[in-house]
Protein backbone atom coordinates (compact mmCIF):
# COMPACT_ATOMS: atom_id res chain seq x y z
CA UNK A 1 0.00 0.00 0.00
CA UNK A 2 2.96 2.34 0.59
CA UNK A 3 3.84 1.83 -3.04
CA UNK A 4 0.38 2.99 -4.12
CA UNK A 5 0.48 6.13 -1.90
CA UNK A 6 3.87 7.16 -3.25
CA UNK A 7 2.67 6.79 -6.81
CA UNK A 8 -0.43 8.89 -6.09
CA UNK A 9 1.72 11.74 -4.73
CA UNK A 10 3.88 11.57 -7.79
CA UNK A 11 0.83 11.90 -10.04
CA UNK A 12 -0.04 15.21 -8.39
CA UNK A 13 3.17 16.76 -9.69
CA UNK A 14 3.47 18.13 -13.16
CA UNK A 15 5.53 15.89 -15.34
CA UNK A 16 5.99 15.11 -18.92
CA UNK A 17 3.14 13.04 -20.43
CA UNK A 18 5.47 10.12 -21.24
CA UNK A 19 6.60 9.91 -17.62
CA UNK A 20 2.98 9.97 -16.46
CA UNK A 21 2.14 7.09 -18.80
CA UNK A 22 4.99 4.93 -17.49
CA UNK A 23 4.05 5.64 -13.89
CA UNK A 24 0.43 4.68 -14.62
CA UNK A 25 1.53 1.28 -15.90
CA UNK A 26 3.65 0.71 -12.79
CA UNK A 27 0.71 1.70 -10.56
CA UNK A 28 -1.63 -0.81 -12.24
CA UNK A 29 0.93 -3.62 -11.94
CA UNK A 30 1.41 -2.98 -8.22
CA UNK A 31 -2.34 -3.06 -7.59
CA UNK A 32 -2.77 -6.28 -9.60
CA UNK A 33 -0.01 -8.09 -7.71
CA UNK A 34 -1.45 -6.94 -4.40
CA UNK A 35 -4.90 -8.33 -5.32
CA UNK A 36 -3.48 -11.67 -6.47
CA UNK A 37 -1.55 -12.12 -3.23
CA UNK A 38 -4.67 -11.32 -1.20
CA UNK A 39 -6.84 -13.82 -3.13
CA UNK A 40 -4.17 -16.54 -2.93
CA UNK A 41 -3.81 -16.09 0.79
CA UNK A 42 -7.58 -16.18 1.29
CA UNK A 43 -8.10 -19.46 -0.60
CA UNK A 44 -5.02 -21.33 0.58
CA UNK A 45 -5.66 -20.68 4.24
CA UNK A 46 -9.23 -22.00 4.37
CA UNK A 47 -9.75 -24.79 1.84
CA UNK A 48 -8.12 -26.90 -0.85
CA UNK A 49 -9.16 -27.47 -4.45
CA UNK A 50 -6.97 -30.57 -4.89
CA UNK A 51 -8.68 -33.36 -6.82
CA UNK A 52 -9.49 -36.53 -4.81
CA UNK A 53 -6.72 -39.10 -5.02
CA UNK A 54 -7.84 -42.48 -6.42
CA UNK A 55 -5.65 -45.51 -5.86
CA UNK A 56 -5.36 -48.59 -8.03
CA UNK A 57 -8.32 -51.02 -8.31
CA UNK A 58 -9.30 -53.09 -5.30
CA UNK A 59 -7.53 -56.35 -4.66
CA UNK A 60 -8.39 -59.93 -3.75
CA UNK A 61 -5.15 -61.32 -2.38
CA UNK A 62 -4.32 -64.70 -0.85
CA UNK A 63 -3.74 -64.34 2.88
CA UNK A 64 -0.83 -65.89 4.71
CA UNK A 65 -1.60 -69.28 6.29
CA UNK A 66 -5.19 -69.08 4.97
CA UNK A 67 -6.14 -71.77 2.44
CA UNK A 68 -9.82 -71.65 1.46
CA UNK A 69 -11.24 -75.13 0.80
CA UNK A 70 -11.78 -76.19 -2.80
CA UNK A 71 -14.82 -77.93 -4.22
CA UNK A 72 -15.31 -80.54 -6.93
CA UNK A 73 -17.42 -80.09 -10.02
CA UNK A 74 -18.39 -82.37 -12.89
CA UNK A 75 -18.12 -80.88 -16.38
CA UNK A 76 -18.70 -82.55 -19.77
CA UNK A 77 -15.59 -84.43 -20.87
CA UNK A 78 -16.05 -83.22 -24.44
CA UNK A 79 -14.75 -79.81 -23.33
CA UNK A 80 -11.32 -81.44 -22.91
CA UNK A 81 -11.17 -82.87 -26.44
CA UNK A 82 -8.41 -81.35 -28.58
CA UNK A 83 -7.99 -84.00 -31.30
CA UNK A 84 -10.82 -84.60 -33.74
CA UNK A 85 -10.64 -88.39 -33.82
CA UNK A 86 -9.62 -88.94 -30.20
CA UNK A 87 -12.62 -88.98 -27.90
CA UNK A 88 -12.05 -88.11 -24.26
CA UNK A 89 -13.22 -90.53 -21.58
CA UNK A 90 -14.16 -88.75 -18.36
CA UNK A 91 -12.73 -89.58 -14.95
CA UNK A 92 -16.09 -89.47 -13.18
CA UNK A 93 -17.05 -92.69 -11.41
CA UNK A 94 -20.73 -92.03 -12.11
CA UNK A 95 -20.71 -91.09 -15.79
CA UNK A 96 -17.82 -91.56 -18.28
CA UNK A 97 -18.99 -88.50 -20.20
CA UNK A 98 -17.98 -86.20 -17.34
CA UNK A 99 -14.67 -85.05 -15.89
CA UNK A 100 -14.33 -84.16 -12.21
CA UNK A 101 -12.34 -80.95 -11.77
CA UNK A 102 -11.32 -78.85 -8.79
CA UNK A 103 -12.90 -75.40 -8.51
CA UNK A 104 -13.11 -72.63 -5.95
CA UNK A 105 -16.10 -72.92 -3.65
CA UNK A 106 -18.95 -70.43 -3.73
CA UNK A 107 -17.85 -66.97 -2.62
CA UNK A 108 -14.31 -67.45 -3.94
CA UNK A 109 -12.58 -67.19 -7.31
CA UNK A 110 -9.25 -68.12 -8.86
CA UNK A 111 -6.35 -65.81 -8.07
CA UNK A 112 -5.33 -64.12 -11.32
CA UNK A 113 -1.60 -64.62 -10.75
CA UNK A 114 -1.73 -68.17 -9.34
CA UNK A 115 -4.64 -70.37 -10.38
CA UNK A 116 -3.80 -72.93 -7.70
CA UNK A 117 -5.09 -70.48 -5.08
CA UNK A 118 -8.56 -69.17 -4.34
CA UNK A 119 -9.31 -65.66 -3.11
CA UNK A 120 -12.55 -64.00 -1.92
CA UNK A 121 -14.95 -62.83 -4.61
CA UNK A 122 -16.81 -59.55 -4.08
CA UNK A 123 -18.47 -59.49 -7.49
CA UNK A 124 -19.06 -55.91 -8.61
CA UNK A 125 -18.31 -54.47 -5.17
CA UNK A 126 -14.96 -53.23 -3.90
CA UNK A 127 -13.67 -52.56 -7.41
CA UNK A 128 -11.14 -49.95 -6.28
CA UNK A 129 -9.46 -48.49 -3.21
CA UNK A 130 -10.01 -51.55 -1.03
CA UNK A 131 -9.45 -55.24 -0.29
CA UNK A 132 -12.05 -57.97 -0.78
CA UNK A 133 -12.43 -60.17 2.30
CA UNK A 134 -14.22 -63.47 2.86
CA UNK A 135 -17.98 -63.15 2.84
CA UNK A 136 -17.94 -60.54 0.05
CA UNK A 137 -16.93 -57.87 2.56
CA UNK A 138 -14.95 -54.85 1.41
CA UNK A 139 -12.20 -53.38 3.58
CA UNK A 140 -11.24 -49.94 2.33
CA UNK A 141 -7.70 -48.59 2.37
CA UNK A 142 -6.68 -46.07 5.02
CA UNK A 143 -8.36 -42.67 4.54
CA UNK A 144 -11.08 -44.30 2.40
CA UNK A 145 -14.61 -45.16 3.55
CA UNK A 146 -17.43 -47.30 2.17
CA UNK A 147 -20.19 -45.06 0.81
CA UNK A 148 -23.89 -45.69 0.22
CA UNK A 149 -23.16 -47.46 -3.09
CA UNK A 150 -20.60 -49.90 -1.62
CA UNK A 151 -17.70 -48.00 -3.20
CA UNK A 152 -14.56 -47.01 -1.32
CA UNK A 153 -14.24 -43.22 -1.62
CA UNK A 154 -11.63 -40.86 -0.14
CA UNK A 155 -12.44 -38.87 2.96
CA UNK A 156 -10.95 -35.62 4.20
CA UNK A 157 -8.21 -34.49 4.17
CA UNK A 158 -7.45 -36.83 1.24
CA UNK A 159 -10.55 -35.81 -0.70
CA UNK A 160 -14.30 -35.40 -0.61
CA UNK A 161 -16.23 -36.34 -3.78
CA UNK A 162 -19.13 -33.95 -4.46
CA UNK A 163 -17.74 -31.60 -1.82
CA UNK A 164 -14.72 -29.57 -0.68
CA UNK A 165 -12.24 -30.43 2.06
CA UNK A 166 -11.12 -27.81 4.56
CA UNK A 167 -7.81 -27.92 6.36
CA UNK A 168 -9.53 -28.65 9.66
CA UNK A 169 -10.59 -32.04 8.22
CA UNK A 170 -14.24 -31.23 7.54
CA UNK A 171 -16.12 -31.54 4.26
CA UNK A 172 -18.66 -29.07 2.89
CA UNK A 173 -20.94 -30.70 0.32
CA UNK A 174 -21.98 -29.09 -2.91
CA UNK A 175 -25.54 -28.02 -3.62
CA UNK A 176 -27.87 -31.01 -3.81
CA UNK A 177 -25.72 -33.11 -1.46
CA UNK A 178 -25.45 -33.53 2.30
CA UNK A 179 -23.09 -35.25 4.70
CA UNK A 180 -23.74 -38.89 5.51
CA UNK A 181 -24.62 -40.05 9.01
CA UNK A 182 -20.92 -40.70 9.64
CA UNK A 183 -20.13 -37.18 8.30
CA UNK A 184 -17.30 -38.63 6.21
CA UNK A 185 -18.69 -38.36 2.67
CA UNK A 186 -21.43 -36.61 0.71
CA UNK A 187 -24.66 -38.27 -0.38
CA UNK A 188 -27.21 -36.91 -2.88
CA UNK A 189 -30.54 -35.52 -1.68
CA UNK A 190 -33.86 -36.76 -3.04
CA UNK A 191 -36.49 -34.69 -1.23
CA UNK A 192 -39.42 -36.79 -2.49
CA UNK A 193 -37.72 -40.03 -1.48
CA UNK A 194 -37.20 -43.13 -3.61
CA UNK A 195 -39.36 -46.16 -4.32
CA UNK A 196 -38.96 -49.78 -3.30
CA UNK A 197 -35.43 -51.16 -3.89
CA UNK A 198 -34.22 -47.78 -5.17
CA UNK A 199 -31.38 -45.54 -4.05
CA UNK A 200 -30.76 -41.83 -4.50
CA UNK A 201 -28.01 -41.84 -7.13
CA UNK A 202 -27.89 -38.08 -7.85
CA UNK A 203 -29.73 -35.00 -6.61
CA UNK A 204 -33.46 -35.67 -7.14
CA UNK A 205 -32.67 -38.78 -9.20
CA UNK A 206 -33.41 -42.33 -8.07
CA UNK A 207 -32.02 -45.53 -9.58
CA UNK A 208 -32.61 -49.22 -8.98
CA UNK A 209 -30.25 -51.07 -6.69
CA UNK A 210 -27.86 -53.56 -8.25
CA UNK A 211 -29.80 -56.69 -9.18
CA UNK A 212 -33.11 -54.85 -9.62
CA UNK A 213 -34.93 -53.35 -12.60
CA UNK A 214 -37.90 -51.01 -13.03
CA UNK A 215 -40.66 -52.84 -14.90
CA UNK A 216 -42.94 -49.80 -15.28
CA UNK A 217 -40.87 -46.61 -15.60
CA UNK A 218 -43.85 -44.30 -15.06
CA UNK A 219 -45.10 -46.00 -11.89
CA UNK A 220 -43.23 -44.62 -8.86
CA UNK A 221 -45.14 -46.68 -6.30
CA UNK A 222 -44.07 -50.13 -7.49
CA UNK A 223 -40.38 -49.30 -7.46
CA UNK A 224 -37.83 -51.83 -8.73
CA UNK A 225 -38.27 -55.58 -8.98
CA UNK A 226 -35.52 -58.21 -8.54
CA UNK A 227 -33.86 -59.93 -11.51
CA UNK A 228 -33.29 -63.69 -11.63
CA UNK A 229 -31.01 -65.06 -14.36
CA UNK A 230 -31.84 -67.70 -15.45
CA UNK A 231 -35.59 -67.52 -14.97
CA UNK A 232 -36.98 -69.12 -11.81
CA UNK A 233 -39.00 -71.66 -13.79
CA UNK A 234 -41.74 -72.96 -11.48
CA UNK A 235 -41.28 -70.21 -8.90
CA UNK A 236 -41.13 -66.45 -8.46
CA UNK A 237 -38.16 -64.13 -8.04
CA UNK A 238 -37.95 -62.63 -4.54
CA UNK A 239 -34.42 -61.20 -4.74
CA UNK A 240 -31.48 -60.93 -7.13
CA UNK A 241 -31.00 -64.51 -8.41
CA UNK A 242 -33.07 -65.81 -5.48
CA UNK A 243 -36.23 -67.82 -6.19
CA UNK A 244 -39.07 -69.16 -4.08
CA UNK A 245 -40.50 -72.35 -5.59
CA UNK A 246 -44.17 -73.16 -6.03
CA UNK A 247 -45.58 -76.09 -4.08
CA UNK A 248 -44.34 -79.43 -5.41
CA UNK A 249 -41.21 -78.05 -7.08
CA UNK A 250 -37.66 -77.75 -5.83
CA UNK A 251 -34.18 -76.40 -6.53
CA UNK A 252 -31.23 -78.64 -7.17
CA UNK A 253 -27.89 -78.18 -5.44
CA UNK A 254 -26.05 -75.04 -6.60
CA UNK A 255 -29.03 -74.04 -8.73
CA UNK A 256 -31.56 -71.23 -8.37
CA UNK A 257 -34.13 -72.64 -10.83
CA UNK A 258 -37.35 -74.22 -9.53
CA UNK A 259 -38.14 -77.41 -11.41
CA UNK A 260 -39.75 -80.80 -11.24
CA UNK A 261 -37.92 -83.74 -9.71
CA UNK A 262 -36.36 -85.78 -12.53
CA UNK A 263 -33.51 -88.22 -13.05
CA UNK A 264 -31.84 -86.07 -15.73
CA UNK A 265 -28.94 -83.75 -14.94
CA UNK A 266 -30.50 -81.04 -17.12
CA UNK A 267 -27.76 -78.47 -16.52
CA UNK A 268 -28.37 -75.17 -18.35
CA UNK A 269 -32.06 -76.03 -18.44
CA UNK A 270 -34.90 -77.13 -16.18
CA UNK A 271 -37.02 -80.25 -15.85
CA UNK A 272 -40.69 -79.82 -16.69
CA UNK A 273 -41.40 -83.40 -15.59
CA UNK A 274 -39.51 -86.55 -14.64
CA UNK A 275 -38.33 -87.27 -18.21
CA UNK A 276 -38.26 -83.94 -20.06
CA UNK A 277 -35.57 -81.26 -19.93
CA UNK A 278 -36.13 -77.83 -21.49
CA UNK A 279 -32.85 -76.12 -22.46
CA UNK A 280 -32.05 -72.45 -22.20
CA UNK A 281 -31.55 -70.37 -25.34
CA UNK A 282 -28.22 -71.20 -26.98
CA UNK A 283 -28.12 -74.77 -25.64
CA UNK A 284 -29.33 -78.14 -26.89
CA UNK A 285 -30.01 -81.41 -25.12
CA UNK A 286 -27.27 -84.07 -25.17
CA UNK A 287 -28.31 -87.66 -24.49
CA UNK A 288 -24.90 -88.81 -23.28
CA UNK A 289 -24.67 -86.26 -20.49
CA UNK A 290 -28.48 -85.80 -20.12
CA UNK A 291 -27.67 -82.09 -19.94
CA UNK A 292 -27.93 -79.04 -22.15
CA UNK A 293 -24.62 -78.33 -23.90
CA UNK A 294 -23.69 -75.13 -25.77
CA UNK A 295 -24.92 -74.94 -29.35
CA UNK A 296 -22.85 -73.47 -32.19
CA UNK A 297 -25.17 -74.66 -34.99
CA UNK A 298 -23.13 -76.19 -37.84
CA UNK A 299 -20.11 -73.90 -37.42
CA UNK A 300 -18.22 -76.20 -35.04
CA UNK A 301 -17.89 -79.44 -37.02
CA UNK A 302 -14.12 -79.50 -36.50
CA UNK A 303 -14.04 -78.18 -32.96
CA UNK A 304 -15.73 -78.06 -29.57
CA UNK A 305 -18.51 -75.62 -28.72
CA UNK A 306 -17.50 -74.13 -25.36
CA UNK A 307 -20.37 -71.66 -25.00
CA UNK A 308 -23.22 -70.55 -27.25
CA UNK A 309 -21.68 -69.36 -30.52
CA UNK A 310 -18.06 -69.79 -29.32
CA UNK A 311 -16.13 -72.68 -30.89
CA UNK A 312 -12.61 -73.88 -30.13
CA UNK A 313 -11.02 -75.60 -33.12
CA UNK A 314 -9.29 -78.96 -32.83
CA UNK A 315 -5.52 -79.16 -33.20
CA UNK A 316 -4.58 -78.80 -36.84
CA UNK A 317 -7.60 -76.65 -37.63
CA UNK A 318 -7.89 -72.89 -37.82
CA UNK A 319 -10.82 -70.54 -37.66
CA UNK A 320 -11.72 -69.12 -41.07
CA UNK A 321 -14.87 -67.09 -41.04
CA UNK A 322 -17.45 -68.98 -39.02
CA UNK A 323 -15.96 -72.47 -39.48
CA UNK A 324 -12.87 -74.43 -38.44
CA UNK A 325 -10.91 -75.57 -41.51
CA UNK A 326 -7.85 -77.79 -41.77
CA UNK A 327 -4.37 -76.32 -42.11
CA UNK A 328 -2.07 -77.62 -44.87
CA UNK A 329 1.29 -75.94 -44.34
CA UNK A 330 2.67 -76.80 -47.80
CA UNK A 331 -0.49 -75.81 -49.63
CA UNK A 332 -2.66 -77.89 -51.94
CA UNK A 333 -2.07 -76.20 -55.26
CA UNK A 334 -4.46 -74.05 -57.22
CA UNK A 335 -6.89 -76.93 -57.82
CA UNK A 336 -6.84 -78.48 -54.36
CA UNK A 337 -8.55 -77.88 -51.07
CA UNK A 338 -7.36 -78.60 -47.54
CA UNK A 339 -9.90 -81.13 -46.23
CA UNK A 340 -8.03 -82.08 -43.02
CA UNK A 341 -4.78 -81.11 -41.26
CA UNK A 342 -1.99 -81.82 -43.76
CA UNK A 343 -4.42 -83.57 -46.14
CA UNK A 344 -5.31 -82.07 -49.51
CA UNK A 345 -8.43 -82.99 -51.41
CA UNK A 346 -8.49 -83.13 -55.21
CA UNK A 347 -11.64 -82.90 -57.27
CA UNK A 348 -12.64 -81.51 -60.64
CA UNK A 349 -16.18 -80.86 -59.43
CA UNK A 350 -16.46 -78.77 -56.23
CA UNK A 351 -18.72 -80.17 -53.56
CA UNK A 352 -18.73 -81.74 -50.10
CA UNK A 353 -15.43 -82.97 -48.71
CA UNK A 354 -16.35 -86.64 -49.20
CA UNK A 355 -16.27 -86.05 -52.99
CA UNK A 356 -12.59 -85.13 -52.86
CA UNK A 357 -9.79 -87.59 -53.51
CA UNK A 358 -7.44 -87.42 -50.54
CA UNK A 359 -3.89 -86.38 -51.28
CA UNK A 360 -1.91 -86.58 -48.07
CA UNK A 361 1.46 -84.77 -48.35
CA UNK A 362 0.91 -83.98 -52.04
CA UNK A 363 -0.74 -81.40 -54.28
CA UNK A 364 -3.54 -81.42 -56.86
CA UNK A 365 -3.31 -81.13 -60.62
CA UNK A 366 -5.71 -79.41 -63.00
CA UNK A 367 -7.35 -82.79 -63.71
CA UNK A 368 -8.25 -83.24 -60.06
CA UNK A 369 -5.59 -85.87 -59.42
CA UNK A 370 -3.01 -86.12 -56.67
CA UNK A 371 0.63 -85.51 -57.56
CA UNK A 372 3.40 -86.35 -55.08
CA UNK A 373 6.54 -84.39 -54.49
CA UNK A 374 9.78 -85.54 -56.13
CA UNK A 375 11.15 -88.62 -54.36
CA UNK A 376 7.77 -89.82 -53.08
CA UNK A 377 5.30 -92.24 -54.56
CA UNK A 378 1.52 -92.42 -54.25
CA UNK A 379 0.18 -95.26 -52.12
CA UNK A 380 -3.64 -95.25 -52.03
CA UNK A 381 -4.27 -91.77 -50.62
CA UNK A 382 -0.80 -90.98 -49.27
CA UNK A 383 2.46 -89.71 -50.69
CA UNK A 384 5.22 -91.81 -49.12
CA UNK A 385 8.84 -92.56 -49.76
CA UNK A 386 9.43 -96.06 -51.21
CA UNK A 387 10.86 -97.41 -47.95
CA UNK A 388 7.76 -96.28 -46.01
CA UNK A 389 5.18 -98.11 -48.11
CA UNK A 390 5.74 -101.57 -46.59
CA UNK A 391 5.89 -100.19 -43.07
CA UNK A 392 2.66 -98.23 -43.51
CA UNK A 393 0.80 -101.23 -44.97
CA UNK A 394 1.83 -103.50 -42.09
CA UNK A 395 1.13 -101.04 -39.26
CA UNK A 396 -2.06 -99.30 -40.42
CA UNK A 397 -4.44 -102.02 -41.60
CA UNK A 398 -7.66 -100.15 -40.85
CA UNK A 399 -6.48 -96.89 -42.40
CA UNK A 400 -5.34 -98.72 -45.51
CA UNK A 401 -8.70 -100.50 -45.88
CA UNK A 402 -10.62 -97.26 -45.36
CA UNK A 403 -8.42 -95.56 -47.94
CA UNK A 404 -8.98 -98.32 -50.51
CA UNK A 405 -12.76 -98.17 -50.05
CA UNK A 406 -12.75 -94.39 -50.34
CA UNK A 407 -10.63 -94.49 -53.50
CA UNK A 408 -12.94 -97.08 -55.05
CA UNK A 409 -16.02 -94.97 -54.36
CA UNK A 410 -14.39 -91.86 -55.78
CA UNK A 411 -12.76 -93.32 -58.89
CA UNK A 412 -15.04 -96.22 -59.90
CA UNK A 413 -18.11 -96.44 -57.70
CA UNK A 414 -19.40 -92.97 -58.53
CA UNK A 415 -19.61 -93.86 -62.23
CA UNK A 416 -22.15 -96.55 -61.31
CA UNK A 417 -23.90 -94.18 -58.88
CA UNK A 418 -23.27 -96.47 -55.91
CA UNK A 419 -24.04 -94.77 -52.60
CA UNK A 420 -20.83 -94.11 -50.71
CA UNK A 421 -20.57 -95.67 -47.27
CA UNK A 422 -19.05 -93.93 -44.28
CA UNK A 423 -17.44 -96.67 -42.19
CA UNK A 424 -16.77 -94.33 -39.27
CA UNK A 425 -20.39 -93.25 -38.81
CA UNK A 426 -21.79 -96.49 -40.33
CA UNK A 427 -24.18 -94.88 -42.80
CA UNK A 428 -24.51 -94.04 -46.51
CA UNK A 429 -24.19 -90.60 -48.02
Amino acid sequence: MNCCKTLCNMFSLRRDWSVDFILSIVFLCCCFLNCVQTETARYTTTTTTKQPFMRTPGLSLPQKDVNPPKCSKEVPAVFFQYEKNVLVVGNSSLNPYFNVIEVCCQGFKRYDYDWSKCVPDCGNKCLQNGFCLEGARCQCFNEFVLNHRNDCVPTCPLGCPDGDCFLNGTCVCKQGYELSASRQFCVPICKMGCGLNEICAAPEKCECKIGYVKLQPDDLKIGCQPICIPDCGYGHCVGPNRCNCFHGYQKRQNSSVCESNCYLRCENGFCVNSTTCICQNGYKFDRNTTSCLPDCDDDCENGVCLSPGICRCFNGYKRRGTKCEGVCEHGCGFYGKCVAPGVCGCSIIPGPFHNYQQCDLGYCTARGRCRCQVGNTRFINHCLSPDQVTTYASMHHQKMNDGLINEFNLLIGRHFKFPAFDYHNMNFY
Side-chain angles (χ1 to χ4, degrees):
M1 297 301 295
N2 294 332
C3 175
C4 295
K5 291 180 180 179
T6 303
L7 291 174
C8 290
N9 293 332
M10 294 175 65
F11 270 117
S12 62
L13 301 177
R14 290 187 175 181
R15 296 184 181 276
D16 185 75
W17 67 270
S18 59
V19 176
D20 292 341
F21 176 78
I22 295 174
L23 292 176
S24 299
I25 297 298
V26 174
F27 173 79
L28 293 175
C29 291
C30 290
C31 293
F32 176 78
L33 292 174
N34 184 53
C35 293
V36 169
Q37 291 176 356
T38 303
E39 289 295 315
T40 303
R42 181 168 67 86
Y43 279 105
T44 55
T45 54
T46 58
T47 186
T48 176
T49 57
K50 184 179 179 181
Q51 293 295 323
F53 174 73
M54 304 299 287
R55 300 193 183 185
T56 55
L59 303 173
S60 291
L61 300 175
Q63 300 181 12
K64 185 178 181 181
D65 299 328
V66 176
N67 297 309
K70 292 185 173 66
C71 298
S72 298
K73 180 181 179 181
E74 287 188 337
V75 296
V78 68
F79 291 163
F80 298 87
Q81 182 179 354
Y82 289 89
E83 302 294 337
K84 182 175 182 178
N85 298 321
V86 180
L87 298 178
V88 177
V89 179
N91 59 8
S92 173
S93 59
L94 301 177
N95 190 327
Y97 294 100
F98 281 90
N99 261 349
V100 179
I101 62 173
E102 190 178 66
V103 297
C104 295
C105 297
Q106 188 174 5
F108 294 86
K109 65 179 181 179
R110 294 285 185 182
Y111 182 42
D112 292 338
Y113 302 99
D114 186 354
W115 269 52
S116 65
K117 298 180 180 180
C118 295
V119 294
D121 184 11
C122 286
N124 54 6
K125 297 190 301 182
C126 204
L127 297 180
Q128 59 183 5
N129 303 319
F131 291 99
C132 180
L133 303 180
E134 186 175 351
R137 295 179 294 109
C138 185
Q139 177 181 321
C140 298
F141 298 148
N142 293 335
E143 298 181 345
F144 287 81
V145 293
L146 201 65
N147 69 358
H148 61 294
R149 306 198 70 169
N150 290 319
D151 295 327
C152 289
V153 296
T155 185
C156 291
L158 190 63
C160 185
D162 302 313
D164 295 314
C165 274
F166 285 78
L167 293 182
N168 60 1
T170 60
C171 175
V172 175
C173 299
K174 297 178 181 178
Q175 185 177 1
Y177 293 84
E178 63 181 357
L179 283 175
S180 64
S182 63
R183 305 189 67 80
Q184 292 182 305
F185 56 90
C186 297
V187 295
I189 301 174
C190 294
K191 296 180 181 179
M192 301 298 294
C194 295
L196 181 65
N197 298 320
E198 291 183 336
I199 60 172
C200 187
E204 306 302 336
K205 181 181 179 181
C206 296
E207 291 182 359
C208 294
K209 296 180 180 178
I210 296 176
Y212 294 84
V213 65
K214 188 181 289 291
L215 300 179
Q216 299 180 6
D218 298 332
D219 195 337
L220 300 178
K221 297 180 180 179
I222 295 180
C224 300
Q225 304 302 313
I227 304 173
C228 289
I229 301 175
D231 185 79
C232 288
Y234 294 107
H236 60 276
C237 189
V238 296
N241 293 330
R242 189 162 54 90
C243 301
N244 278 354
C245 298
F246 300 144
H247 179 71
Y249 297 92
Q250 59 187 8
K251 289 183 285 187
R252 288 176 294 166
Q253 186 178 5
N254 298 326
S255 175
S256 62
V257 180
C258 299
E259 54 191 332
S260 176
N261 186 20
C262 65
Y263 69 91
L264 304 174
R265 286 178 178 263
C266 199
E267 295 183 13
N268 303 312
F270 68 94
C271 289
V272 295
N273 53 49
S274 60
T275 59
T276 305
C277 175
I278 300 298
C279 296
Q280 301 174 17
N281 291 335
Y283 294 83
K284 64 180 179 180
F285 186 74
D286 177 66
R287 293 184 179 276
N288 293 329
T289 60
T290 67
S291 293
C292 299
L293 299 186
D295 185 16
C296 293
D297 296 327
D298 297 329
D299 296 336
C300 204
E301 180 182 358
N302 298 314
V304 175
C305 189
L306 300 179
S307 61
I310 298 179
C311 177
R312 185 197 67 218
C313 298
F314 291 131
N315 292 337
Y317 292 84
K318 186 177 181 180
R319 192 84 172 180
R320 289 189 177 93
T322 60
K323 297 183 180 295
C324 295
E325 297 184 0
V327 177
C328 297
E329 296 181 357
H330 301 289
C332 296
F334 183 78
Y335 301 97
K337 187 172 185 178
C338 189
V339 296
V343 179
C344 293
C346 304
S347 177
I348 300 176
I349 303 175
F353 282 174
H354 58 250
N355 289 336
Y356 284 76
Q357 181 188 21
Q358 290 190 6
C359 185
D360 195 355
L361 303 178
Y363 64 95
C364 302
T365 65
R367 299 182 61 185
R369 296 292 181 265
C370 180
R371 180 68 57 84
C372 296
Q373 302 288 346
V374 177
N376 291 339
T377 184
R378 179 167 173 77
F379 179 71
I380 308 177
N381 57 358
H382 285 70
C383 289
L384 303 173
S385 60
D387 58 334
Q388 291 178 323
V389 173
T390 304
T391 304
Y392 181 86
S394 61
M395 296 182 62
H396 302 88
H397 300 287
Q398 186 62 44
K399 288 185 177 180
M400 187 177 69
N401 291 336
D402 291 345
L404 286 171
I405 294 172
N406 186 63
E407 287 289 297
F408 173 82
N409 290 330
L410 288 172
L411 301 178
I412 301 176
R414 64 181 177 180
H415 294 291
F416 297 94
K417 297 183 179 181
F418 292 151
F421 189 76
D422 186 351
Y423 282 84
H424 291 289
N425 298 319
M426 301 303 292
N427 57 15
F428 290 94
Y429 53 82

